[in-house]
Amino acid sequence: MSQDLEALLCDERARLDSITTLEDLEEWWRTTLGRKGSVQLLTRQLGTLEAADRPAFGRQINEIKKVLKEAFDAKKEAVRLDVIAAKVSREAIDVTLPGRRPAKGGLHPSTRILREMYRIFGDMGFQIYRSPEVVTDQQNFEWLNMPPEHPARDMQDTFYTTEEGILLRTHTSPGQIAAMREYHPQPIRIIVPGMCYRSEQITARSEIQFNQIEGLAVGHGIRFSDLKGTLTEFAKRLFGEERKTRFRASYFPFTEPSAEMDVSCFQCDATGCQLCKYSGWLEILGCGMVHPIVLRHGGYDPDEFSGFAWGLGPERIAMMKWGITDIRSFWSDDLRFLTQF
Ligand SMILES: [Zn+2]
């Protein structure tokens, strides 16, 4: 090999050895073995040589190409591994650092109070009966002794669907009727929980959606004393064994007689506080003996069967229990509120 070729080979190898990046490698290839690279340019010299010298010179160029190509491939692999190693060490994960704590969810306060009540009534022998939130006018009003033009309807304005006579239930009572029609003439003990809707001005005290838990017991010889015993026991299990209850006469279209049940204030132990407005009592539910007309709509003969029913608002009770002052907090999705539970 001529001295010139030796020198070229030596230079290019040295240049290749000093390369550390893939970009520089590409540049090296372009300027050495590329179409206009230094080795390729050597072939132009072939024309200037004696014909006899050309084959030997050609072989030497090919030899140089081969050697440099092999060196290039080896270098390329080495650089590639170096790049990976550098990236790995740059982005290394320190496994000794403490991890980020995942945000833990909790049960919504409505769910909590509902479950507490399910457990209490479940222990007392009541089954949960689920029923639809979209009902007919007949299911929501008429079968519950509220015919069209009944004044009690004014207190329960609701949301109507575009289909005539189909509406969002204003109370869970349609579920009571549905259960009676499904199970009569067997005796029943159920609670009917779920979401109800009313078209109302939204304020700190009233919402357009809220849960209700209604309960119903129908059978032979059920009396008002059964109602008092059941609901007083419920109040004690929810608010504490020492709680007292009282019943005040009231009116509901679907019960007769009807009553409101108060529980002695658990916050001040009935001595008077802001929660009970210094009366010592908290109003927690409405109740009564099932109206004979309602029993008949449910498929029971009121001469043979009797029953009691009640309805309460879990959110209102949760507000008393946990000192929540604004009912809008339940559905406003504010984590500052929700994470307190
Ligand atoms: Zn009080």
Side-chain angles (χ1 to χ4, degrees), residues 56-329:
F57 189 74
R59 272 198 302 280
Q60 284 171 2
I61 291 175
N62 284 338
E63 179 65 19
I64 289 173
K65 278 186 185 171
K66 184 164 166 282
V67 169
L68 288 178
K69 173 76 168 58
E70 279 167 8
F72 173 82
D73 288 344
K75 184 70 182 178
K76 190 174 178 184
E77 180 63 11
V79 170
R80 194 179 69 82
L81 293 175
D82 281 351
V83 168
I84 291 172
K87 191 171 156 69
V88 166
S89 80
R90 196 169 57 243
E91 296 173 6
I93 294 166
D94 184 349
V95 293
T96 64
L97 282 173
R100 283 198 199 96
R101 217 173 267 281
K104 253 198 297 181
L107 290 177
H108 190 278
S110 287
T111 307
R112 280 189 53 181
I113 195 82
L114 282 168
R115 289 191 180 179
E116 203 171 332
M117 293 180 184
Y118 296 165
R119 186 180 50 73
I120 294 172
F121 285 119
D123 286 350
M124 293 165 73
F126 286 82
Q127 287 185 309
I128 294 177
Y129 185 87
R130 299 269 175 201
S131 66
E133 295 176 16
V134 183
V135 296
T136 64
D137 184 280
Q138 190 178 39
Q139 291 166 328
N140 196 73
F141 294 119
E142 285 178 45
W143 281 344
L144 293 154
N145 203 20
M146 284 187 275
E149 314 309 327
H150 192 287
R153 285 193 178 206
D154 292 345
M155 287 147 58
Q156 298 195 9
D157 191 17
T158 185
F159 297 98
Y160 294 85
T161 67
T162 49
E163 206 162 318
E164 178 80 23
I166 306 288
L167 46 89
L168 298 187
R169 66 180 179 189
T170 59
H171 46 187
T172 44
S173 310
Q176 296 200 31
I177 280 285
M180 284 193 272
R181 294 171 80 90
E182 187 176 338
Y183 290 113
H184 75 91
Q186 301 167 55
I188 45 180
R189 276 185 204 173
I190 52 162
I191 57 169
V192 189
M195 198 62 86
C196 305
Y197 305 86
R198 290 192 194 172
S199 178
E200 284 188 12
Q201 184 77 37
I202 298 175
T203 69
R205 298 288 305 160
S206 67
E207 253 287 6
I208 57 170
Q209 64 173 95
F210 52 91
N211 280 289
Q212 244 187 13
I213 292 188
E214 292 193 4
L216 173 71
V218 177
H220 292 281
I222 291 184
R223 297 175 302 178
F224 199 87
S225 53
D226 296 313
L227 177 159
K228 288 179 78 172
T230 302
L231 295 178
T232 299
E233 183 60 26
F234 162 71
K236 285 174 184 286
R237 292 189 188 192
L238 187 66
F239 294 111
E241 188 56 37
E242 63 285 7
R243 297 277 69 85
K244 293 182 177 62
T245 54
R246 72 175 184 186
F247 291 80
R248 290 176 289 109
S250 183
Y251 168 78
F252 303 108
F254 27 80
T255 46
E256 182 61 37
S258 304
E260 304 272 0
M261 187 178 92
D262 298 339
V263 62
S264 57
C265 182
F266 54 85
Q267 187 151 295
C268 62
D269 206 15
T271 56
C273 70
Q274 209 166 8
L275 180 64
C276 60
K277 301 193 183 73
Y278 300 95
S279 70
W281 294 97
L282 299 167
E283 182 184 322
I284 63 163
L285 58 82
C287 55
M289 300 304 288
V290 183
H291 197 288
I293 289 177
V294 176
L295 277 177
R296 195 168 284 125
H297 283 312
Y300 292 90
D301 178 356
D303 290 333
E304 200 187 323
F305 289 89
S306 57
F308 66 85
W310 75 90
L312 58 83
E315 278 89 24
R316 293 202 185 282
I317 291 179
M319 288 170 80
M320 292 177 197
K321 227 171 130 76
W322 295 320
I324 301 164
T325 52
D326 191 330
I327 199 168
R328 291 170 294 193
S329 304

